[in-house]
Amino acid sequence: MDHAPQDARSQSIKSAACVLIPLAIYLMPIPAGLTPLAWQLLAVYLAAVLGIILRPFPEPVVLVSALAFTALALGKPAEALHGFGDGTPWLVFTAFIVGQCFIETGLGTRIAHVMIRKFGKTSLRLGYVAMLTDLILAPATPSNTARTGGLVSPIYFSVANALGSRPDENPRRIGAYLSVLMYQNSLITATLFITAGAIYPMMIKMNNDLTGTTIGWAQWTLAMALPGVICLAIVPYLVYRMFPPELKTLDDSMIGAASGDATAMTRQEKILAALFVFAIVGWATGSITKVATVSVAMAVMAMALLSGVITWDRVLKAKAAWSTFIWYAGIIALADALTKAGFFKWMGEAFQRNVDFSGFNPIVVLGALILITIVVRYFFASTIAFVVTFMPVIFTLGAATKLPAIPLLLLCSASAQIASLPTHYGNAVGPVLFGAGYVDRATWWKIGHVVCYLCMAIFFAFGLAWWKVIGLW
């Protein structure tokens, strides 16, 4: 998401905070049990996190600066560059490029239009079609902003416009319903696939580093399917009841205006459809074939380039993909360096000495931690800032109190997306959809609160039971 330019004074204040606060920590006495390197790396990591939150400069600039300090001042160039050799940033990057292919070829728009023609007979069914459009595209698009903000919302805002519903003219006819529903859809569909959210590979790696447990693409999808599908089945109807559109049914002329004329698939669309099926099959069977998720993603990107589905010039122009790759690899490098320096082990041992949950049921403790992850989201306008700031603490606390690692990971992953719903700023796609101007803030927040707490209750109750059945804890 693009950010508005900031004035020099604001940038200077934010830059000073990003330097002075970590510098104060850097100069403090080193706690017992920590090496000087671990304490110094913590200061650099906090500087990077503050930079992501306050954003005096774009995230890639913040992380390149932090890595430069690690390499030069701490004398650890290998540690600084380690993240670029990790598969996690490459998985996110390649998924971004595959998502761009859907936009470039028009296949994403075609999928939506076909579904509108087939199923869009009523406003409620159109809401479910919008959800299914987002769901189909989710495995190949690790960004809510790119998927829903850049691909899905232009289609459905055009539908609303074709049906005579604009922000300044008949917004409640259907545009307001679709606008707020697309936000709910986006953050719920993102929970179902590792490749639907850029934060998930990072969270899996954090969890693995701290607990030694991990989960693959197919296992994740199986685990999230039951609670996720329940939420997706309920939410379009719930929003329809809470915020009903004035237009209830669509006749054939309305559907034709909303979906456009059917045309033959192009060669690029056919190739991309085949590659998409290949990717889903490759990811779903990875536990059997032992082919890594990132290997499948890179193969799909390579074949898309070789077949002309997308050109290298278009890849070079995918600024969001390159920016994410740089800062993502950077934060992973710093987190890995902290782990290897023993910081998180030390923090876990400190929790074990000072925090006693022995008298509480583990499910109660798990629920309390998840509730905390929901409540603190009001203070974060960035999902990645929330993850890099808060998740290491939650995972370390979970390990120290011997909570089941995979259920904690899955619930935190669901919360990282769904807990953005109570506000219009908790996820980058929120300002895109809310900014269209169809819905007032009070209504947006009211619907978001209801959906957030309902869906997290579903993930907690049905998710934990389902994960027990399939042997995840």
Side-chain angles (χ1 to χ4, degrees):
M1 176 185 174
D2 292 332
H3 294 257
Q6 52 191 322
D7 60 68
R9 183 172 181 272
S10 172
Q11 186 180 44
S12 298
I13 293 172
K14 292 176 180 179
S15 299
C18 292
V19 172
L20 295 178
I21 294 174
L23 181 61
I25 294 172
Y26 189 93
L27 297 175
M28 285 173 60
I30 301 170
L34 274 184
T35 65
L37 177 61
W39 190 244
Q40 293 161 358
L41 285 169
L42 173 64
V44 177
Y45 185 82
L46 290 177
V49 170
L50 280 171
I52 291 172
I53 295 172
L54 299 178
R55 209 173 184 276
F57 298 96
E59 288 91 342
V61 177
V62 170
L63 266 302
V64 167
S65 301
L67 296 181
F69 185 89
T70 303
L72 185 62
L74 302 186
K76 297 292 180 180
E79 285 79 356
L81 297 174
H82 172 74
F84 294 94
D86 188 277
T88 307
W90 284 103
L91 173 61
V92 174
F93 175 77
T94 52
F96 262 106
I97 300 305
V98 173
Q100 184 66 28
C101 290
F102 277 85
I103 297 174
E104 294 287 328
T105 63
L107 182 58
T109 301
R110 178 181 297 278
I111 291 170
H113 284 173
V114 168
M115 295 179 69
I116 291 169
R117 284 194 292 272
K118 295 289 185 183
F119 307 111
K121 301 292 185 181
T122 68
S123 295
L124 178 58
R125 289 176 68 173
L126 196 59
Y128 278 98
V129 168
M131 176 272 290
L132 289 171
T133 305
D134 208 294
L135 179 62
I136 290 170
L137 298 173
T141 321
S143 164
N144 301 88
T145 311
R147 181 176 67 255
T148 310
L151 183 55
V152 177
S153 67
I155 295 168
Y156 287 93
F157 282 142
S158 296
V159 169
N161 185 68
L163 296 174
S165 180
R166 302 172 183 82
D168 58 349
E169 182 183 348
N170 303 317
R172 289 296 305 276
R173 181 171 169 82
I174 194 169
Y177 168 65
L178 292 175
S179 178
V180 72
L181 178 60
M182 282 189 286
Y183 191 43
Q184 323 299 316
N185 290 341
S186 181
L187 298 178
I188 298 170
T189 58
T191 65
L192 269 70
F193 311 98
I194 289 175
T195 47
I199 57 172
Y200 295 145
M202 179 186 297
M203 293 178 70
I204 291 169
K205 183 166 178 52
M206 286 179 179
N207 176 73
N208 179 253
D209 289 343
L210 294 170
T211 69
T213 59
T214 191
I215 186 169
W217 193 94
Q219 219 179 5
W220 177 291
T221 301
L222 176 64
M224 293 303 218
L226 180 64
V229 168
I230 292 173
C231 292
L232 291 173
I234 293 172
V235 167
Y237 179 74
L238 175 63
V239 175
Y240 184 86
R241 297 296 297 177
M242 291 183 67
F243 196 49
E246 296 168 349
L247 179 66
K248 299 294 191 283
T249 60
L250 284 70
D251 58 32
D252 290 342
S253 64
M254 291 178 178
I255 294 172
S259 62
D261 297 327
T263 58
M265 287 184 71
T266 64
R267 172 181 172 275
Q268 285 80 5
E269 286 179 285
K270 292 176 181 178
I271 294 173
L272 179 58
L275 291 177
F276 185 53
V277 171
F278 169 79
I280 297 298
V281 172
W283 291 330
T285 59
S287 60
I288 300 171
T289 62
K290 307 304 179 185
V291 176
T293 304
V294 65
S295 302
V296 175
M298 293 188 73
V300 170
M301 185 179 76
M303 287 187 283
L305 283 164
L306 292 170
S307 62
V309 169
I310 192 170
T311 66
W312 183 246
D313 283 342
R314 292 304 303 164
V315 172
L316 290 175
K317 292 175 182 176
K319 294 191 294 183
W322 290 106
S323 293
T324 302
F325 176 71
I326 296 296
W327 67 253
Y328 206 104
I331 202 71
I332 281 180
L334 294 177
D336 276 356
L338 265 180
T339 300
K340 291 174 182 175
F343 174 77
F344 291 115
K345 180 182 178 182
W346 171 84
M347 187 167 68
E349 291 171 349
F351 277 133
Q352 286 180 319
R353 288 193 303 270
N354 299 291
V355 180
D356 183 13
F357 287 120
S358 58
F360 294 90
N361 185 297
I363 300 301
V364 174
V365 178
L366 183 59
L369 290 181
I370 298 306
L371 182 60
I372 291 171
T373 68
I374 296 172
V375 172
V376 299
R377 283 309 305 275
Y378 292 98
F379 303 102
F380 289 93
S382 163
T383 303
I384 186 60
F386 166 71
V387 168
V388 299
T389 303
F390 219 71
M391 283 302 106
V393 178
I394 294 293
F395 289 154
T396 302
L397 187 54
T401 53
K402 296 180 171 54
L403 294 179
I406 294 300
L408 177 61
L409 166 65
L410 294 173
L411 286 171
C412 285
S413 299
S415 173
Q417 294 281 0
I418 294 171
S420 303
L421 290 175
T423 70
H424 61 290
Y425 59 78
N427 185 285
V429 75
V432 177
L433 299 173
F434 177 78
Y438 280 96
V439 185
D440 63 273
R441 188 173 66 179
T443 301
W444 192 279
W445 281 42
K446 179 181 73 173
I447 294 172
H449 275 81
V450 172
V451 173
C452 169
Y453 285 96
L454 172 64
C455 288
M456 286 309 303
I458 289 171
F459 269 87
F460 194 83
F462 288 90
L464 284 176
W466 173 235
W467 302 333
K468 189 75 170 178
V469 169
I470 62 177
L472 292 182
W473 66 293

